[in-house]
Amino acid sequence: MKKAYLLLASLLCASSAMYAQDVVFANPTMEDGSFIVKYDLENHKFAESNDFEIDETFLFAIDVTGTDYETALKTPSRNPNVLGRSMAHDFYVNNDVCEFEHYTNGGNLDGRLFHIEGNIYGAVFNLFQLAHGRYKDTCFGLFQENGVDNYDALQPGAVVTFGANHFGFGWSATNPGEEWWDAIAAPITTLWFHTAPYTGTRKSADFYFDDFTEGPAFEGCESTWADKGYAMPQYITELTGGAGVEFIGMDNADAPAEYYNLQGMKVNNPEKGIYIVRQGREASKVVLK
């Protein structure tokens, strides 16, 4: 068994000092200065902490209240081709605080965020699946063990710290980046966050954007959204029984029933309890006795 890679308290203190900057997003922060980025869509508020593990699905969100984006995202573009505006992101493993033995800079995990509610923008992520699907998983300490891929980030107790860069964009009918970067407001680079220590007990099932969304998320993005581990925020609503939302990624109403618990995790052999059942386009909450 490879050595577990914990980010020690002293190292986190050092990273806190390194990130000693003004809070630019309205997200709550932890004692070490890191941001809480997990959002509770059912209760319309941020979670108490980032309790998600690296391979667990969660709803990422930023609150742009008090930033230049609060007004800019609601202001029509001067460019007549721009049909709408939203936020985008770059995530990257922070190698300044990364202790992974096999760490290799695998590049950033970029993409577009979606308007959730009010000044909240975000998307559903499984960061391990997203990196793996894009062949950028070397940033999680990829190594071979007995001929099988393994990761420092998947060792017991491992914590992954992410830096992030956020910026606005506008899309047109033919160009998902018709408006970019400083055309809306200066990019914000101060957000950083980390995962919960890895236990391997909360791993989420794989999913793709196209499993839950019919057609492109934004005009001009037809080939952009086949990513594994990435979906619109409604994905969380669907799997937690949100009212008025149905699955739209599958046409066959006679498809086999799939069961999910209220945390959005697929259950292959459901027993007694409350579940969300997906069958074709339909989703409903059921109680098994």
Side-chain angles (χ1 to χ4, degrees):
M1 175 64 71
K2 293 287 181 179
K3 174 184 175 184
Y5 290 86
L6 283 168
L7 292 178
L8 302 177
S10 60
L11 191 55
L12 286 174
C13 289
S15 69
S16 178
M18 179 174 56
Y19 284 94
Q21 305 179 44
D22 292 335
V23 176
V24 292
F25 286 123
N27 294 47
T29 57
M30 300 295 290
E31 290 184 0
D32 63 3
S34 62
F35 286 76
I36 295 176
V37 295
K38 181 178 178 179
Y39 196 70
D40 180 352
L41 192 56
E42 281 191 291
N43 295 303
H44 308 281
K45 65 179 184 178
F46 282 91
E48 297 298 320
S49 66
N50 293 328
D51 60 355
F52 55 87
E53 297 182 15
I54 188 64
D55 56 5
E56 182 179 1
T57 298
F58 73 102
L59 176 56
F60 172 92
I62 55 173
D63 185 345
V64 302
T65 302
T67 71
D68 290 343
Y69 287 103
E70 181 178 7
T71 299
L73 291 171
K74 301 171 184 176
T75 303
S77 173
R78 293 183 179 181
N79 183 343
N81 295 322
V82 172
L83 302 177
R85 288 173 162 179
S86 190
M87 295 292 293
H89 70 88
D90 289 327
F91 298 143
Y92 52 90
V93 173
N94 192 316
N95 59 348
D96 292 323
V97 297
C98 179
E99 287 194 324
F100 294 162
E101 178 181 351
H102 305 96
Y103 171 85
T104 301
N105 186 355
N108 61 328
L109 299 176
D110 61 331
R112 291 162 173 78
L113 303 178
F114 310 90
H115 182 234
I116 298 176
E117 53 189 359
N119 289 325
I120 307 296
Y121 292 78
V124 176
F125 289 111
N126 185 304
L127 294 168
F128 179 82
Q129 292 174 23
L130 182 61
H132 187 269
R134 291 186 175 183
Y135 302 99
K136 295 183 178 182
D137 45 357
T138 56
C139 61
F140 295 151
L142 173 64
F143 64 93
Q144 288 279 320
E145 186 173 50
N146 299 323
V148 177
D149 285 352
N150 208 334
Y151 298 85
D152 296 334
L154 300 185
Q155 304 308 307
V159 170
V160 184
T161 299
F162 287 90
N165 176 42
H166 287 91
F167 54 95
F169 72 97
W171 69 92
S172 70
T174 57
N175 183 357
E178 181 80 24
E179 199 171 39
W180 209 243
W181 291 87
D182 293 32
I184 296 178
I188 295 174
T189 61
T190 49
L191 184 141
W192 67 288
F193 63 95
H194 47 74
T195 66
Y198 192 69
T199 66
T201 62
R202 303 172 68 176
K203 180 178 180 179
S204 298
D206 287 7
F207 67 93
Y208 288 79
F209 182 96
D210 292 342
D211 289 342
F212 300 97
T213 301
E214 186 175 89
F218 300 112
E219 296 294 335
C221 293
E222 286 81 357
S223 62
T224 304
W225 302 104
D227 284 328
K228 178 174 159 181
Y230 193 129
M232 292 179 70
Q234 68 182 39
Y235 172 65
I236 289 291
T237 306
E238 290 161 351
L239 294 188
T240 54
V245 182
E246 65 178 17
F247 286 91
I248 58 175
M250 196 170 185
D251 289 327
N252 186 5
D254 296 323
E258 296 178 340
Y259 290 81
Y260 297 82
N261 62 25
L262 296 184
Q263 287 71 50
M265 299 177 67
K266 189 173 182 180
V267 179
N268 292 323
N269 298 299
E271 299 178 347
K272 293 181 180 179
I274 301 174
Y275 296 92
I276 305 302
V277 180
R278 169 189 180 183
Q279 188 170 20
R281 288 177 173 266
E282 301 297 326
S284 60
K285 184 180 292 185
V286 298
V287 178
L288 298 185
K289 301 180 179 179

